[in-house]
Amino acid sequence: MGKRGGGSGSGASGYGAQWGRSAAATMPGAAERGSELSEQIEAFVARLRGGGERPRSEDTARQTLSLLRKIIAHGRWSRAGELMDLIRTEGQRMTAAQPSETTVGNMVRRVLKVIREEYGRLHGRSEESDQQESLHKLLTSGGLSEDFNTPYPPLKANVIEAINELLVELEGTTENIAMQALEHIHSNEVIMTIGYSRTVEAFLKEAARKRKFQVIVAECAPFCQGHEMAVRLSKENIETTVMSDAAIFAVMSRVNKVIIGTKTILANGALIAVSGTHTLALAAKHHSTPLIVCAPMFKLSPQFPNEEDSFHKFVSPQEVLPFTEGEILAKINVHCPVFDYVPPELITLFISNIGGNAPSYIYRLMSELYHPDDYEL
Amino acid sequence: GPCEGPAPTAPPEERPFGTGGPAAGGGGAGLGRRRGAPEEPPPPLQAVLVADSFNRRFFPISKDRPRALLPMANVAMIDYTLEFLTATGVEETFVFCCWKSAEIKEHLQKSKWCRHTSPNTVRFVTSDLYRSLGDVLRDVDAKSLVRSDFILVTGDVVSNFNISKALEEHKLRRKMEKNDDIVIAMDSATSRVLHYQRTQGLKRFRFPMSLFQNSIENVEVRHDLLDCHISICSPQVAELFTDNFDYQTRDDFVRGLLVNEEVLGNQIHMHVTTEEYGAHICNLLMYEAVCSDIIRRWVYPLTPEMNFTDDKNQSYTHSKHNIYRGVDVSLGHGSVLQENVLIGQGTVIGSNCSITNSIIGQNCRIGDKVILDGAFLWDRVHIADNVEICHSVICDEAEVKEKVKLKPRCVLSSQVVVGPGITLSEGTVISLHPPDEEEDDDDQFSDDSGVNKQESKVKLKGYNKKDVGSEGRGYLWKANDKNEEDEEEQRQSLWGEEKFSVEESESDSDLSMGSEEPDSRAASPQLDDIKVFQNEVLGTLQRGEEENISCDNLVLEINSLKYAYNIGLKEMMQVLSKVILEFPLQQLDANLDSQNYFSALVPLLKNWTPLFKNYIKRASDHLNALFAIEEFFLEHESLCTSIAKVLMTFYQLEILEEDVILNWFSLRDTSDKGRQLRKNQRLQKFIQWLEEAEEESSDGDQD
């Protein structure tokens, strides 16, 4: 139930037609808005799938939230349960389009959690009781599951209000992380980073306003985003050195701290980050250099690493070996992975917009951000 | 441009022998008058997709299934093409179908392209009468389907190009020279195609000397390019096909246009890309190569696990070594998927199989101890135990019995059964359609050759058990007919194909639009020739006037004169303007008076407007005409006062454009006399009027 009118699959179209008839009398133009909405979703999915020009996670998060807000505002639902089904169906489609963009799924889970909370509040349950499900409570309470079937007219407005707050929160994440820079970077330190991350850039720039330090950037071949990072840092008068990824281990002994960004933080505190990061983390571990990961909360994803889930993304090997090398291509396999898996034991500290945390604490943050029932969409 | 590689150094043997050229076309755009009309928003980008190849390269496979629907990595070719178009920003696509059009239509109607959320509207145009690309484009013109620049592709193009850059360049060129040319697919910076030749196994090439004698500075010869059959065309391309009913293929068109460039003023440009992937599936080996490239992710993001067709049956997981698995795939004990393997939904594979570099369709049954290396199995294929298949294509519902061995480059078309226990030698092609049936068929242009009427005949003949095995069904196709020569060509292009399109041929690499052309041609014809030519034109026009000959015929005559005396476009323009302006002088004899002159000239100009329009297309032509007019009035000072009126007439007849007139007027580097002329009061008034009118119209735009 709750599919967009004729949007996906043939099953939905008959249903949508019925709806269209009954709805036409009461709210003219609803069908139009519905199709406009599904076009927007379609365009968003297509954009994700194309995934050419490396979208910023923050932009993706914002776009996902605005799209979900539109679905809530214009979608056909009357009860919280229907709304959650609707969000879940669309969320699945959006996440399936580009599994490596975990931000999309995270935002869908945040919205589901918001709906649960708002429903709970209207249902007259205090937030506290919901949050802290103690062992005792689990034992004593009978049927825990709610049906979300009571219609509450103010629900829509409340949920939209809460999503707007989320959007405001998104705005400030990078600054919040950068504000903590002075606690971690000291004068005359040698900092190492890899590739390009906006969060790390802001973090280093903030520290450079007060302190003098040196940055070594690993170029992160074959895309070499490290070059861009170096250019941006040197514009702020930070002493910057670029070097090849192969030299990471060699220079690690001189490095005081490694500060990196990431694409995703997994539920076990591991990272999915640009390829090359694993090498960097292992080298740091070998030299007992602290490894600090700057990542906003929306990158926390309640998923665990496994073989089937394709977090990894392999793009065209063009950058590794140009196609013009025609003759050898028949004989060899060329791969161009975009991401590395970095296990949690190599990470010293996470710095997020709400402060610093150890990898072992990630599970706790996860349970605050998302409802356990939503881990699987 | 930076993207042009140092191609000519590569030894030809290793290179693909680039086939044809991407680009194409062109046409003289009529100079519409802009005045007052506010700039319209850019029209939606349109594409013409020709879902028929008009050849039989894929025989006998394409007897059962149109080429556009052949599966590549389990997705029909046409879906790749449409995805490419959509990603480029095309909003409306006309799909032209001929052979098996109903199947193509049905396929597309079920696909995501026909859902209402699709950003690309797909429209079908079906007719059994199309026999060539030329027919299709003539129909495009006849129905006026395209409103602006469009992209022309065939239904078998796989590409992840973003052609927006090429499009931008194309638009820019059009702006600079209003008449225009088509870029055949992709070309670099300003490269114009001068000569174009398919290599087709030739080891020697001839180039006309004139190519190098022209004053164009750099001529580049490239033979390392692969044509991906994507063309960006001006609307005039379709018109040109209509005008030249002998054009059948794109090659005809490109050749014709290059030969007649001087006459028509159309040009072809090409765009070379080295970054992205594009290929045109023109034969089976190309098919094989592109399939492997898809599996090896060269075409990212069009990879199988992306499921860009949004079809529930097409969801795959991607794991290491490029193994893609659909839903409900079962793999027997001890079977190994080594690398680069795609397995479609519902396929069951027995035990102890070894599969590498292969694509397996949906719902196939594969027995035990089967070895597949480079096999392309389509849907519902049955493979029994102990079969070995190497680099072969097996179509829908075919069956291979126990202990059959397929050597490289075998083809089993739909529903064929082979075996048990035989070995098919290299290059064997087996089909349910007997090979001789086509010989009765004189229609060689399209994929279809009256399959249905042959149905009865088939049953009369028995299957040759030697060819297909004791339980086999199917006829052996001679391996040495035209497939062979295709394969020869295919073999060369198998791996060398670059991901870019475009022509081999020479393209001159630097040629700035507009400016170079008058210079390059000016030197060629002798002055005497021009004089004689002028007299001839005068004579022609006089006769035209006396005998009331239509302008079309006059154009024909003048064109042939132009050829005879080898006159360039620039001289042509000057001579024409001069002759027409001088025309009234003879009638009036000595009775020279600007009033009389003007009243005699106006009806002539009105009569001959089409004549001018035929030749004045580019901004440079306008300017040349203006120079000729200026020269005339400088020579006949007594008539000076009527120059403003003459220009006004030209302008009102829409022969000359206001911005060109203004441009001409503001030219500084003129002689003293010229400056004198510009001080003419009436002329200044006229210019002032033009300027005001333009301001008004631009104000109008803002509103």
Side-chain angles (χ1 to χ4, degrees), chain B residues 33-237:
Chain B
R33 261 225 305 186
R34 291 283 156 76
R35 146 170 310 263
E39 271 310 294
E40 285 173 31
L45 187 56
Q46 294 174 308
V48 171
L49 192 159
V50 185
D52 200 324
S53 54
F54 305 112
N55 65 42
R56 350 168 98 200
R57 285 268 181 74
F58 270 86
F59 257 34
I61 300 175
S62 55
K63 277 203 165 189
D64 303 309
R65 209 168 180 183
R67 193 201 274 199
L69 294 188
L70 300 188
M72 308 207 44
N74 295 348
V75 174
M77 283 185 197
I78 198 169
D79 288 328
Y80 286 96
T81 314
L82 281 168
E83 177 72 21
F84 154 70
L85 290 175
T86 310
T88 302
V90 171
E91 290 166 52
E92 188 173 26
T93 307
F94 297 98
V95 178
F96 284 81
C97 328
C98 173
W99 168 233
K100 300 244 180 201
S101 54
E103 282 179 32
I104 296 176
K105 211 165 164 177
E106 193 193 334
H107 170 84
L108 288 180
Q109 268 161 353
K110 275 192 279 177
S111 74
K112 74 165 180 173
W113 311 111
C114 287
R115 292 185 202 153
H116 71 284
T117 50
S118 166
N120 184 359
T121 318
V122 174
R123 301 183 199 288
F124 300 96
V125 185
T126 333
S127 164
D128 292 336
L129 299 174
Y130 300 138
R131 282 289 171 267
S132 69
L133 181 70
D135 293 337
V136 170
L137 283 173
R138 281 186 272 279
D139 203 39
V140 169
D141 188 36
K143 294 184 177 152
S144 0
L145 294 176
V146 295
R147 294 184 290 277
S148 146
D149 297 345
F150 64 100
I151 299 175
L152 173 68
V153 290
T154 48
D156 45 13
V157 166
V158 175
S159 173
N160 61 358
F161 283 135
N162 190 342
I163 63 168
S164 46
K165 186 165 158 269
L167 264 178
E168 276 313 306
E169 281 172 14
H170 176 66
K171 287 202 182 122
L172 197 69
R173 259 193 299 259
R174 269 179 76 91
K175 254 191 200 144
M176 287 164 68
E177 300 216 7
K178 301 218 168 146
N179 112 15
D180 201 54
D181 38 322
I182 302 172
V183 183
I184 260 205
M186 329 256 96
D187 13 337
S188 100
T190 56
S191 41
R192 190 162 61 116
V193 176
L194 293 182
H195 182 76
Y196 160 84
Q197 199 173 2
R198 278 173 171 272
T199 49
Q200 256 157 5
L202 292 177
K203 294 269 187 259
R204 281 160 188 274
F205 303 100
R206 286 176 176 279
F207 301 116
M209 274 306 281
S210 58
L211 279 183
F212 305 99
Q213 285 166 339
N214 265 334
S215 52
I216 295 168
E217 274 176 27
N218 289 325
V219 176
E220 194 181 337
V221 181
R222 300 197 62 164
H223 56 82
D224 59 337
L225 301 175
L226 184 88
D227 177 14
C228 62
H229 286 235
I230 302 168
S231 318
I232 303 172
C233 307
S234 311
Q236 290 82 15
V237 176

Side-chain angles (χ1 to χ4, degrees), chain B residues 248-452:
Chain B
Q248 293 294 338
T249 64
R250 209 179 58 160
D251 283 354
D252 290 343
F253 176 76
V254 171
R255 220 171 292 126
L257 212 67
L258 289 176
V259 169
N260 296 331
E261 189 174 273
E262 288 234 341
V263 193
L264 300 162
N266 298 318
Q267 297 174 342
I268 300 178
H269 295 256
M270 71 169 188
H271 182 98
V272 180
T273 167
T274 51
E275 294 283 298
E276 292 147 310
Y277 190 97
H280 163 74
I281 319 307
C282 51
N283 53 42
L284 264 186
L285 285 202
M286 196 67 184
Y287 171 84
E288 190 183 333
V290 174
C291 281
S292 341
D293 289 343
I294 291 171
I295 296 287
R296 290 161 193 242
R297 311 184 69 77
W298 285 99
V299 201
Y300 184 87
L302 301 185
T303 47
E305 90 281 5
M306 285 292 176
N307 190 13
F308 65 86
T309 52
D310 219 4
D311 178 345
K312 275 190 221 84
N313 300 330
Q314 293 286 1
S315 68
Y316 294 93
T317 59
H318 172 224
S319 39
K320 52 186 167 186
H321 307 303
N322 290 337
I323 308 286
Y324 303 84
R325 251 179 278 202
V327 189
D328 296 331
V329 167
S330 101
L331 192 63
H333 178 76
S335 286
V336 184
L337 307 178
Q338 289 176 357
E339 54 179 19
N340 304 324
V341 177
L342 173 78
I343 302 178
Q345 182 208 32
T347 288
V348 177
I349 297 173
S351 56
N352 296 316
C353 296
S354 162
I355 302 176
T356 175
N357 296 322
S358 297
I359 293 175
I360 299 171
Q362 297 179 1
N363 302 312
C364 293
R365 295 277 171 280
I366 295 176
D368 301 338
K369 294 181 192 156
V370 172
I371 297 175
L372 301 179
D373 180 8
F376 297 88
L377 313 187
W378 295 5
D379 296 346
R380 299 176 299 280
V381 170
H382 283 240
I383 308 276
D385 301 345
N386 295 307
V387 170
E388 272 179 50
I389 299 176
C390 185
H391 292 283
S392 295
V393 177
I394 298 174
C395 304
D396 288 340
E397 293 167 37
E399 192 175 348
V400 181
K401 304 247 177 201
E402 286 87 6
K403 293 186 182 156
V404 172
K405 268 189 194 174
L406 266 65
K407 293 278 175 68
R409 286 184 292 111
C410 289
V411 176
L412 302 186
S413 81
S414 207
Q415 295 176 330
V416 163
V417 182
V418 290
I422 62 164
T423 299
L424 297 183
S425 60
E426 202 170 316
T428 310
V429 179
I430 296 179
S431 166
L432 278 189
H433 305 285
D436 44 354
E437 77 183 30
E438 66 183 303
E439 253 106 73
D440 329 336
D441 212 346
D442 41 341
D443 148 36
Q444 295 282 331
F445 291 115
S446 182
D447 279 345
D448 66 299
S449 52
V451 179
N452 300 333

Side-chain angles (χ1 to χ4, degrees), chain A residues 112-128:
Chain A
L112 285 173
K113 165 104 171 167
V114 162
I115 298 170
R116 284 174 198 277
E117 280 173 1
E118 294 302 330
Y119 179 82
R121 197 170 292 148
L122 290 169
H123 211 56
R125 188 160 29 75
S126 80
E127 262 172 82
E128 288 304 306

